[in-house]
Amino acid sequence: LRCLCTLPNSLQTKQYFKGCAMSELSAGLLNNTDAQFLRPLWSELCKGLGVLQKFEDRWWQIVLTKHSEPHRAYHTLSHLHEMFDYLAQYRSCITDRFAVMLAIFFHDIIYDPRKGSPQNEEDSAELFGEFALESLPLGNLPDRDSIAKCEMIDKVTRWIIQTAHHRCAEG
């Protein structure tokens, strides 16, 4: 994910996401354009993964709260918005869009400037694991869909931890 941060910003994003339905946001966030941009993406992701509405709503509030903490200067909702701009720009290269979307939402969800890297990334991966455990229905293992979902969870966890190094590794 960090590799994308060095790419130029895309103006195609608004067109790409133009058709997204807008969900209602919490009262104090209606003027927050980043939250308004991100909420339909979160909904699309959750629906695509079979997340129940109650978990979608609960975890959206966690994403909002964590990325709006007052001590954050860079790892904010604006940063997520920027990352989704890159996703839109390079969508033709993405083979596992839902995994990339999860990694974007969770890669900096924990940010404590006193702890630094790699602790923040490890804590972010742990919180993603809590989301996955609570929200991603695995069905009856070892069916093919459940195995694929487990592989996606492992991949996203690795990606989140890898962002501590701010560079891409092979594979």
Side-chain angles (χ1 to χ4, degrees):
L1 287 175
R2 296 283 182 180
C3 300
L4 296 177
C5 291
T6 61
L7 300 172
N9 198 355
S10 170
L11 298 176
Q12 302 169 350
T13 306
K14 286 185 174 72
Q15 291 175 337
Y16 179 67
F17 292 114
K18 191 175 181 181
C20 294
M22 190 59 172
S23 299
E24 276 189 31
L25 298 174
S26 301
L29 297 170
L30 290 176
N31 293 326
N32 186 327
T33 57
D34 292 319
Q36 291 174 344
F37 174 84
L38 294 166
R39 180 59 168 127
L41 297 175
W42 178 256
S43 291
E44 173 195 350
L45 172 63
C46 289
K47 286 179 184 20
L49 293 172
V51 174
L52 296 176
Q53 187 68 48
K54 67 180 181 178
F55 296 128
E56 175 187 329
D57 294 342
R58 175 175 131 61
W59 281 93
W60 171 247
Q61 289 305 311
I62 292 169
V63 168
L64 272 180
T65 300
K66 291 292 189 182
H67 285 92
S68 301
E69 293 169 330
H71 65 272
R72 291 174 180 254
Y74 176 72
H75 301 100
T76 63
L77 294 173
S78 295
H79 175 58
L80 294 182
H81 189 154
E82 180 182 24
M83 297 300 292
F84 278 102
D85 283 347
Y86 297 133
L87 176 62
Q89 183 175 359
Y90 294 95
R91 67 186 172 273
S92 64
C93 304
I94 304 297
T95 57
D96 194 347
R97 196 162 139 274
F98 286 157
V100 173
M101 291 173 77
L102 283 168
I104 289 171
F105 275 116
F106 282 93
H107 79 281
D108 285 323
I109 197 160
I110 300 295
Y111 178 68
D112 182 344
R114 295 168 293 169
K115 289 185 179 177
S117 290
Q119 190 61 53
N120 284 323
E121 290 77 10
E122 291 169 5
D123 292 347
S124 293
E126 185 175 325
L127 191 59
F128 166 70
E130 291 176 27
F131 163 80
L133 186 62
E134 178 179 83
S135 303
L136 298 179
L138 290 178
N140 299 315
L141 289 173
D143 73 12
R144 192 179 335 168
D145 289 341
S146 294
I147 291 170
K149 211 169 268 187
C150 285
E151 290 171 351
M152 180 192 62
I153 291 167
D154 289 344
K155 179 174 19 179
V156 171
T157 300
R158 282 192 319 271
W159 288 347
I160 292 169
I161 291 170
Q162 184 179 340
T163 63
H165 306 294
H166 293 197
R167 64 182 183 281
C168 289
E170 295 297 317

